[in-house]
Amino acid sequence: MARIVMKFGGTSMAGIERIRNVAARVKREVEAGHQVAVVVSAMAGETDRLVGFCREASSLYDPQEYDVVVSAGEQITSGLLAITLQAMGVPARSWLGWQLPIHTDTAFAKARIGEIDTTALDESLASGVVAVIPGFQGVAEGNRVTTLGRGGSDTSAVAVAAAMKAERCDIYTDVDGVYTTDPRIVPRARKLSKVTYEEMLELASVGAKVLQTRSVGLAMKEQVRVRVLSSFDDARDEDGHRGTLIVGEEEIDDMERQLITGIAHDKNEAKITLTAVPDRPGAVGSIFAPLADAGINVDMIVQNIAHSTGSTDVTFTVPSADLARSLDVLEKGQGEIGYASLVHDTRVAKISVVGVGMRSHAGVASTMFQTLGARGINILAITTSEIKVSVLIEEDYTELAVRVLHTAYGLDAEAA
Ligand code: ASP
Ligand code: MG
């Protein structure tokens, strides 16, 4: 007997028919003798609909009331799954965020989970009752409902798994695992049987949409074994496994190790260039401090060599969603920063290659630059970390870049 968490995403929960499919999967695990907690998302599209209502009601909505509204989608699916399980003869009950409770801080609409009280959960599981927990929600001091940021039910699942010391956290979704790249762009992308926490963290943060980035960070910190798998397809690998396991590096043997594990792309960044910024100490600080104060995350940064005129151009990227606010902050700061002009471009994409293998191998970045160069793709900015190289390119070249890099690093599957 093991304790497991099963998490089902919005596509898996969209409609009673699909909820029956989910219930059947839960029933199988219960019949195998496991103690099961299930974490569910709202039906696909539902949270968007609820967010839309808030915006329509007032563009300056109160985040505390926003959380009351948008957390409702998961309340519905958790109740429906409990009803469906009961109808199949599986004892089940729902536990809303405030009932367990799942404590969070008071950062409404993007709250962080603190402690999860497992007293009730432990009792429920020990008595053989499946606990159905709505993802994405919690409760903050003052007894207010909170939500964890879009895609947050992955984080709920990992947090519940950590709190109840689950053997693993199975995340059921509409794809059968984590791929070397987006299979819609590269049909010869391969499913990875294992990926390290660190790699998954990088992949999620640079555009791979399988898991919320925060959930991967939490899994790494709490050492939760996460598996990503399909709720629609039971196909197994040649070695009998399903899905992709996200685990510590020590669990991956050298045989399986590739130089590059995956290639991600992200079209949600915008490029900003400030021209003729004075070349003096403090100039760069005066650009980024007000952006940080406004809560805007700057990602890639390039500062060019100073011109003979004693000034330099500074280029960087911000999330597209924050572009308008960034421009506002920078225009207001023109006097203090002292730049000549401000240019921006949203038709850019960030392409990243990720792999722990690059720690011990030279030449990963140069392969990337040469491969792109050979196709006439210009590089606008570069950033690197120990296990990642990212470049900014023109958006129109996204698919081509991903495809040629996938081939260049030897990731293509044998047959399509
Ligand atoms: N329903 C929420 C969302 O759409 C949370 C989740 O599904 O992970 O963002
Ligand atoms: Mg999701």
Side-chain angles (χ1 to χ4, degrees):
M1 184 206 71
R3 286 189 143 194
I4 58 173
V5 170
M6 304 172 78
K7 185 261 169 180
F8 293 90
T11 336
S12 311
M13 297 300 291
I16 301 303
E17 189 80 22
R18 291 189 181 176
I19 292 178
R20 282 207 187 99
N21 167 51
V22 165
R25 288 180 184 280
V26 174
K27 185 175 185 193
R28 243 186 271 163
E29 297 288 9
V30 172
E31 283 172 349
H34 301 315
Q35 292 188 354
V36 184
V38 190
V39 175
V40 295
S41 281
M43 294 192 196
E46 179 67 359
T47 310
D48 286 340
R49 192 175 75 99
L50 299 173
V51 169
F53 283 140
C54 292
R55 294 204 177 121
E56 202 181 324
S58 164
S59 56
L60 292 172
Y61 53 74
D62 172 2
Q64 307 191 43
E65 298 305 339
Y66 165 96
D67 279 354
V68 171
V69 177
V70 303
S71 61
E74 273 79 5
Q75 171 160 343
I76 295 169
T77 47
S78 54
L80 287 172
L81 178 57
I83 292 175
T84 311
L85 283 166
Q86 290 168 4
M88 288 181 177
V90 180
R93 78 151 276 188
S94 62
W95 291 95
L96 299 182
W98 61 269
Q99 292 174 317
L100 268 178
I102 296 177
H103 294 287
T104 73
D105 62 14
T106 53
F108 294 93
K110 47 172 189 293
R112 277 179 183 275
I113 295 180
E115 200 204 331
I116 299 182
D117 190 334
T118 58
T119 322
L121 189 60
D122 287 338
E123 269 171 37
S124 174
L125 294 177
S127 64
V129 179
V130 172
V132 185
I133 302 167
F136 186 49
Q137 56 173 255
V139 61
E141 217 182 283
N143 234 355
R144 303 289 322 235
V145 171
T146 51
T147 64
L148 310 179
R150 298 305 306 273
S153 50
D154 294 334
T155 302
S156 306
V158 171
V160 167
M164 66 182 241
K165 303 193 169 51
E167 188 159 295
R168 56 169 208 272
C169 179
D170 283 343
I171 305 224
Y172 287 85
T173 177
D174 50 4
V175 292
D176 62 354
V178 179
Y179 277 73
T180 48
T181 195
D182 186 342
R184 285 167 305 185
I185 296 181
V186 183
R188 291 171 71 175
R190 284 185 293 109
K191 183 170 76 69
L192 297 160
S193 58
K194 285 180 186 164
V195 60
T196 67
Y197 292 119
E198 269 182 294
E199 289 168 328
M200 196 60 227
L201 194 57
E202 292 279 18
L203 287 169
S205 70
V206 293
K209 301 216 169 41
V210 221
L211 290 175
Q212 196 199 32
T213 308
R214 211 187 250 188
S215 70
V216 185
L218 187 63
M220 178 155 109
K221 178 167 157 267
E222 300 286 343
Q223 295 289 299
V224 174
R225 292 169 65 84
V226 174
R227 183 166 64 149
V228 175
L229 70 173
S230 166
S231 57
F232 300 106
D233 170 8
D234 287 314
R236 288 173 190 276
D237 307 346
E238 309 89 75
D239 54 2
H241 293 130
R242 290 188 60 203
T244 300
L245 267 178
I246 305 169
V247 292
E249 205 170 328
E250 66 289 348
E251 285 197 47
I252 302 189
D253 28 346
D254 292 341
M255 289 290 290
E256 299 170 306
R257 174 119 328 281
Q258 294 261 356
L259 181 55
I260 293 301
T261 302
I263 299 173
H265 63 95
D266 184 358
K267 296 181 178 177
N268 295 315
E269 284 195 38
K271 176 171 78 101
I272 298 177
T273 299
L274 301 182
T275 66
V277 175
D279 184 27
R280 57 166 168 75
V284 172
S286 69
I287 299 172
F288 296 113
L291 290 171
D293 291 343
I296 296 164
N297 270 327
V298 173
D299 179 27
M300 313 177 93
I301 303 175
V302 188
Q303 184 187 226
N304 300 311
I305 294 171
H307 306 299
S308 52
T309 52
S311 69
T312 169
D313 294 347
V314 179
T315 294
F316 53 92
T317 63
V318 297
S320 302
D322 291 331
L323 177 63
R325 283 198 306 130
S326 305
L327 296 177
D328 183 53
V329 165
L330 294 165
E331 273 157 16
K332 285 188 181 128
Q334 185 171 17
E336 198 188 328
I337 305 166
Y339 61 85
S341 66
L342 192 172
V343 191
H344 69 269
D345 187 357
T346 52
R347 310 245 343 121
V348 291
K350 184 170 69 170
I351 311 293
S352 308
V353 299
V354 172
V356 292
M358 72 174 74
R359 272 200 207 115
S360 48
H361 279 87
V364 170
S366 73
T367 299
M368 185 178 200
F369 306 152
Q370 282 171 348
T371 305
L372 297 175
R375 292 301 181 122
I377 302 172
N378 200 20
I379 295 171
L380 310 171
I382 303 166
T383 49
T384 65
S385 80
E386 211 190 354
I387 64 162
K388 177 187 73 178
V389 183
S390 301
V391 298
L392 194 71
I393 62 169
E394 272 177 49
E395 189 180 289
D396 287 346
Y397 292 111
T398 307
E399 284 74 17
L400 176 63
V402 169
R403 243 182 275 128
V404 295
L405 290 172
H406 199 264
T407 304
Y409 290 111
L411 295 174
D412 292 345
E414 305 284 294

PDB file of all heavy atoms in Angstrom, residues 7-10 40-43 45-48 70 73-74 135-136 149-154 212, ligand 1:
ATOM      1  N   LYS A   7      -3.274  14.068  -9.844  1.00  0.00           N
ATOM      2  CA  LYS A   7      -3.770  15.396 -10.188  1.00  0.00           C
ATOM      3  C   LYS A   7      -4.301  15.378 -11.616  1.00  0.00           C
ATOM      4  O   LYS A   7      -3.636  14.837 -12.511  1.00  0.00           O
ATOM      5  CB  LYS A   7      -2.655  16.427 -10.027  1.00  0.00           C
ATOM      6  CG  LYS A   7      -3.089  17.864 -10.243  1.00  0.00           C
ATOM      7  CD  LYS A   7      -2.759  18.367 -11.627  1.00  0.00           C
ATOM      8  CE  LYS A   7      -3.427  19.705 -11.910  1.00  0.00           C
ATOM      9  NZ  LYS A   7      -3.106  20.210 -13.259  1.00  0.00           N
ATOM     10  N   PHE A   8      -5.466  15.948 -11.827  1.00  0.00           N
ATOM     11  CA  PHE A   8      -6.056  15.966 -13.160  1.00  0.00           C
ATOM     12  C   PHE A   8      -6.264  17.402 -13.632  1.00  0.00           C
ATOM     13  O   PHE A   8      -6.853  18.214 -12.921  1.00  0.00           O
ATOM     14  CB  PHE A   8      -7.383  15.195 -13.160  1.00  0.00           C
ATOM     15  CG  PHE A   8      -7.192  13.728 -12.931  1.00  0.00           C
ATOM     16  CD1 PHE A   8      -7.204  13.212 -11.637  1.00  0.00           C
ATOM     17  CD2 PHE A   8      -6.942  12.872 -13.992  1.00  0.00           C
ATOM     18  CE1 PHE A   8      -6.981  11.857 -11.411  1.00  0.00           C
ATOM     19  CE2 PHE A   8      -6.721  11.518 -13.772  1.00  0.00           C
ATOM     20  CZ  PHE A   8      -6.742  11.012 -12.481  1.00  0.00           C
ATOM     21  N   GLY A   9      -5.800  17.696 -14.830  1.00  0.00           N
ATOM     22  CA  GLY A   9      -5.889  19.045 -15.396  1.00  0.00           C
ATOM     23  C   GLY A   9      -7.256  19.326 -16.007  1.00  0.00           C
ATOM     24  O   GLY A   9      -8.139  18.458 -16.040  1.00  0.00           O
ATOM     25  N   GLY A  10      -7.402  20.546 -16.501  1.00  0.00           N
ATOM     26  CA  GLY A  10      -8.684  21.025 -16.998  1.00  0.00           C
ATOM     27  C   GLY A  10      -9.282  20.219 -18.145  1.00  0.00           C
ATOM     28  O   GLY A  10     -10.500  20.002 -18.190  1.00  0.00           O
ATOM     29  N   VAL A  40      -7.757  18.399  -8.288  1.00  0.00           N
ATOM     30  CA  VAL A  40      -8.371  18.660  -9.597  1.00  0.00           C
ATOM     31  C   VAL A  40      -8.297  20.132 -10.009  1.00  0.00           C
ATOM     32  O   VAL A  40      -8.297  21.028  -9.180  1.00  0.00           O
ATOM     33  CB  VAL A  40      -9.864  18.218  -9.621  1.00  0.00           C
ATOM     34  CG1 VAL A  40      -9.976  16.710  -9.464  1.00  0.00           C
ATOM     35  CG2 VAL A  40     -10.677  18.947  -8.564  1.00  0.00           C
ATOM     36  N   SER A  41      -8.268  20.327 -11.326  1.00  0.00           N
ATOM     37  CA  SER A  41      -8.390  21.665 -11.920  1.00  0.00           C
ATOM     38  C   SER A  41      -9.855  21.931 -12.224  1.00  0.00           C
ATOM     39  O   SER A  41     -10.675  21.014 -12.219  1.00  0.00           O
ATOM     40  CB  SER A  41      -7.647  21.724 -13.253  1.00  0.00           C
ATOM     41  OG  SER A  41      -6.276  21.861 -13.070  1.00  0.00           O
ATOM     42  N   ALA A  42     -10.144  23.173 -12.562  1.00  0.00           N
ATOM     43  CA  ALA A  42     -11.463  23.516 -13.081  1.00  0.00           C
ATOM     44  C   ALA A  42     -11.578  22.951 -14.493  1.00  0.00           C
ATOM     45  O   ALA A  42     -10.580  22.609 -15.116  1.00  0.00           O
ATOM     46  CB  ALA A  42     -11.607  25.031 -13.120  1.00  0.00           C
ATOM     47  N   MET A  43     -12.808  22.847 -15.017  1.00  0.00           N
ATOM     48  CA  MET A  43     -12.976  22.390 -16.394  1.00  0.00           C
ATOM     49  C   MET A  43     -12.234  23.356 -17.326  1.00  0.00           C
ATOM     50  O   MET A  43     -12.200  24.561 -17.078  1.00  0.00           O
ATOM     51  CB  MET A  43     -14.463  22.376 -16.769  1.00  0.00           C
ATOM     52  CG  MET A  43     -15.264  21.359 -15.972  1.00  0.00           C
ATOM     53  SD  MET A  43     -16.913  21.131 -16.660  1.00  0.00           S
ATOM     54  CE  MET A  43     -17.729  20.307 -15.274  1.00  0.00           C
ATOM     55  N   GLY A  45     -11.115  26.013 -19.731  1.00  0.00           N
ATOM     56  CA  GLY A  45     -11.794  27.231 -20.185  1.00  0.00           C
ATOM     57  C   GLY A  45     -12.574  27.939 -19.086  1.00  0.00           C
ATOM     58  O   GLY A  45     -12.884  29.131 -19.203  1.00  0.00           O
ATOM     59  N   GLU A  46     -12.868  27.212 -18.003  1.00  0.00           N
ATOM     60  CA  GLU A  46     -13.724  27.785 -16.963  1.00  0.00           C
ATOM     61  C   GLU A  46     -13.049  28.954 -16.231  1.00  0.00           C
ATOM     62  O   GLU A  46     -13.663  29.994 -15.988  1.00  0.00           O
ATOM     63  CB  GLU A  46     -14.118  26.674 -15.975  1.00  0.00           C
ATOM     64  CG  GLU A  46     -14.991  27.125 -14.820  1.00  0.00           C
ATOM     65  CD  GLU A  46     -16.392  27.562 -15.241  1.00  0.00           C
ATOM     66  OE1 GLU A  46     -16.700  27.527 -16.452  1.00  0.00           O
ATOM     67  OE2 GLU A  46     -17.164  27.964 -14.356  1.00  0.00           O
ATOM     68  N   THR A  47     -11.773  28.781 -15.882  1.00  0.00           N
ATOM     69  CA  THR A  47     -11.098  29.854 -15.139  1.00  0.00           C
ATOM     70  C   THR A  47     -11.003  31.116 -16.004  1.00  0.00           C
ATOM     71  O   THR A  47     -11.221  32.226 -15.509  1.00  0.00           O
ATOM     72  CB  THR A  47      -9.715  29.385 -14.649  1.00  0.00           C
ATOM     73  OG1 THR A  47      -9.889  28.126 -13.991  1.00  0.00           O
ATOM     74  CG2 THR A  47      -9.107  30.371 -13.667  1.00  0.00           C
ATOM     75  N   ASP A  48     -10.737  30.943 -17.293  1.00  0.00           N
ATOM     76  CA  ASP A  48     -10.714  32.106 -18.204  1.00  0.00           C
ATOM     77  C   ASP A  48     -12.060  32.823 -18.181  1.00  0.00           C
ATOM     78  O   ASP A  48     -12.135  34.050 -18.169  1.00  0.00           O
ATOM     79  CB  ASP A  48     -10.460  31.657 -19.651  1.00  0.00           C
ATOM     80  CG  ASP A  48      -9.009  31.253 -19.873  1.00  0.00           C
ATOM     81  OD1 ASP A  48      -8.149  31.654 -19.066  1.00  0.00           O
ATOM     82  OD2 ASP A  48      -8.747  30.534 -20.853  1.00  0.00           O
ATOM     83  N   VAL A  70     -12.647  33.275  -8.986  1.00  0.00           N
ATOM     84  CA  VAL A  70     -11.926  32.340  -9.863  1.00  0.00           C
ATOM     85  C   VAL A  70     -11.633  30.995  -9.212  1.00  0.00           C
ATOM     86  O   VAL A  70     -11.390  30.010  -9.903  1.00  0.00           O
ATOM     87  CB  VAL A  70     -10.627  32.940 -10.462  1.00  0.00           C
ATOM     88  CG1 VAL A  70     -10.930  34.216 -11.227  1.00  0.00           C
ATOM     89  CG2 VAL A  70      -9.574  33.178  -9.408  1.00  0.00           C
ATOM     90  N   GLY A  73     -14.253  27.485  -9.942  1.00  0.00           N
ATOM     91  CA  GLY A  73     -14.221  26.418 -10.947  1.00  0.00           C
ATOM     92  C   GLY A  73     -13.772  25.095 -10.351  1.00  0.00           C
ATOM     93  O   GLY A  73     -14.309  24.024 -10.672  1.00  0.00           O
ATOM     94  N   GLU A  74     -12.800  25.145  -9.461  1.00  0.00           N
ATOM     95  CA  GLU A  74     -12.271  23.927  -8.833  1.00  0.00           C
ATOM     96  C   GLU A  74     -13.241  23.390  -7.775  1.00  0.00           C
ATOM     97  O   GLU A  74     -13.256  22.196  -7.491  1.00  0.00           O
ATOM     98  CB  GLU A  74     -10.906  24.221  -8.202  1.00  0.00           C
ATOM     99  CG  GLU A  74      -9.723  24.070  -9.155  1.00  0.00           C
ATOM    100  CD  GLU A  74      -9.508  25.234 -10.102  1.00  0.00           C
ATOM    101  OE1 GLU A  74     -10.224  26.246  -9.992  1.00  0.00           O
ATOM    102  OE2 GLU A  74      -8.618  25.126 -10.974  1.00  0.00           O
ATOM    103  N   GLY A 135      -7.619  22.078  -6.706  1.00  0.00           N
ATOM    104  CA  GLY A 135      -6.321  22.728  -6.832  1.00  0.00           C
ATOM    105  C   GLY A 135      -6.493  24.241  -6.854  1.00  0.00           C
ATOM    106  O   GLY A 135      -7.616  24.745  -6.827  1.00  0.00           O
ATOM    107  N   PHE A 136      -5.377  24.963  -6.850  1.00  0.00           N
ATOM    108  CA  PHE A 136      -5.383  26.399  -7.172  1.00  0.00           C
ATOM    109  C   PHE A 136      -5.857  27.284  -6.020  1.00  0.00           C
ATOM    110  O   PHE A 136      -5.742  28.484  -6.086  1.00  0.00           O
ATOM    111  CB  PHE A 136      -6.283  26.579  -8.404  1.00  0.00           C
ATOM    112  CG  PHE A 136      -6.366  27.940  -9.046  1.00  0.00           C
ATOM    113  CD1 PHE A 136      -5.229  28.670  -9.370  1.00  0.00           C
ATOM    114  CD2 PHE A 136      -7.608  28.476  -9.381  1.00  0.00           C
ATOM    115  CE1 PHE A 136      -5.341  29.906 -10.014  1.00  0.00           C
ATOM    116  CE2 PHE A 136      -7.722  29.697 -10.018  1.00  0.00           C
ATOM    117  CZ  PHE A 136      -6.593  30.417 -10.341  1.00  0.00           C
ATOM    118  N   GLY A 149      -2.257  31.670  -8.576  1.00  0.00           N
ATOM    119  CA  GLY A 149      -1.710  32.065  -9.879  1.00  0.00           C
ATOM    120  C   GLY A 149      -2.099  31.026 -10.899  1.00  0.00           C
ATOM    121  O   GLY A 149      -2.249  29.839 -10.576  1.00  0.00           O
ATOM    122  N   ARG A 150      -2.233  31.471 -12.171  1.00  0.00           N
ATOM    123  CA  ARG A 150      -2.737  30.573 -13.217  1.00  0.00           C
ATOM    124  C   ARG A 150      -1.858  29.326 -13.330  1.00  0.00           C
ATOM    125  O   ARG A 150      -0.646  29.400 -13.206  1.00  0.00           O
ATOM    126  CB  ARG A 150      -2.822  31.322 -14.552  1.00  0.00           C
ATOM    127  CG  ARG A 150      -3.794  32.503 -14.537  1.00  0.00           C
ATOM    128  CD  ARG A 150      -5.202  32.114 -14.089  1.00  0.00           C
ATOM    129  NE  ARG A 150      -5.787  31.035 -14.832  1.00  0.00           N
ATOM    130  CZ  ARG A 150      -6.470  31.179 -15.976  1.00  0.00           C
ATOM    131  NH1 ARG A 150      -6.638  32.376 -16.495  1.00  0.00           N
ATOM    132  NH2 ARG A 150      -6.995  30.140 -16.579  1.00  0.00           N
ATOM    133  N   GLY A 151      -2.529  28.212 -13.529  1.00  0.00           N
ATOM    134  CA  GLY A 151      -1.814  26.941 -13.608  1.00  0.00           C
ATOM    135  C   GLY A 151      -1.453  26.389 -12.234  1.00  0.00           C
ATOM    136  O   GLY A 151      -0.729  25.399 -12.125  1.00  0.00           O
ATOM    137  N   GLY A 152      -1.982  27.017 -11.181  1.00  0.00           N
ATOM    138  CA  GLY A 152      -1.546  26.721  -9.820  1.00  0.00           C
ATOM    139  C   GLY A 152      -1.957  25.376  -9.249  1.00  0.00           C
ATOM    140  O   GLY A 152      -1.453  24.980  -8.197  1.00  0.00           O
ATOM    141  N   SER A 153      -2.834  24.647  -9.928  1.00  0.00           N
ATOM    142  CA  SER A 153      -3.228  23.377  -9.318  1.00  0.00           C
ATOM    143  C   SER A 153      -2.097  22.352  -9.365  1.00  0.00           C
ATOM    144  O   SER A 153      -2.079  21.419  -8.568  1.00  0.00           O
ATOM    145  CB  SER A 153      -4.519  22.833  -9.930  1.00  0.00           C
ATOM    146  OG  SER A 153      -4.428  22.842 -11.299  1.00  0.00           O
ATOM    147  N   ASP A 154      -1.141  22.524 -10.264  1.00  0.00           N
ATOM    148  CA  ASP A 154       0.044  21.652 -10.227  1.00  0.00           C
ATOM    149  C   ASP A 154       0.769  21.844  -8.890  1.00  0.00           C
ATOM    150  O   ASP A 154       1.219  20.888  -8.260  1.00  0.00           O
ATOM    151  CB  ASP A 154       1.033  22.014 -11.356  1.00  0.00           C
ATOM    152  CG  ASP A 154       0.473  21.731 -12.733  1.00  0.00           C
ATOM    153  OD1 ASP A 154      -0.401  20.854 -12.853  1.00  0.00           O
ATOM    154  OD2 ASP A 154       0.914  22.397 -13.700  1.00  0.00           O
ATOM    155  N   GLN A 212       3.291  24.053 -14.129  1.00  0.00           N
ATOM    156  CA  GLN A 212       3.553  25.400 -13.627  1.00  0.00           C
ATOM    157  C   GLN A 212       4.972  25.416 -13.034  1.00  0.00           C
ATOM    158  O   GLN A 212       5.353  24.509 -12.284  1.00  0.00           O
ATOM    159  CB  GLN A 212       2.524  25.764 -12.538  1.00  0.00           C
ATOM    160  CG  GLN A 212       2.503  27.268 -12.254  1.00  0.00           C
ATOM    161  CD  GLN A 212       1.883  27.636 -10.917  1.00  0.00           C
ATOM    162  OE1 GLN A 212       1.978  26.889  -9.955  1.00  0.00           O
ATOM    163  NE2 GLN A 212       1.265  28.794 -10.850  1.00  0.00           N
TER     164      GLN A 212
HETATM  165  N1  ASP B   1      -7.882  26.504 -13.084  1.00  0.00           N
HETATM  166  C1  ASP B   1      -6.682  27.266 -12.856  1.00  0.00           C
HETATM  167  C2  ASP B   1      -6.179  27.846 -14.161  1.00  0.00           C
HETATM  168  O1  ASP B   1      -6.770  27.635 -15.197  1.00  0.00           O
HETATM  169  C3  ASP B   1      -5.624  26.472 -12.181  1.00  0.00           C
HETATM  170  C4  ASP B   1      -5.159  25.246 -12.917  1.00  0.00           C
HETATM  171  O2  ASP B   1      -5.890  24.674 -13.716  1.00  0.00           O
HETATM  172  O3  ASP B   1      -4.024  24.835 -12.700  1.00  0.00           O
HETATM  173  O4  ASP B   1      -5.231  28.567 -14.167  1.00  0.00           O
END
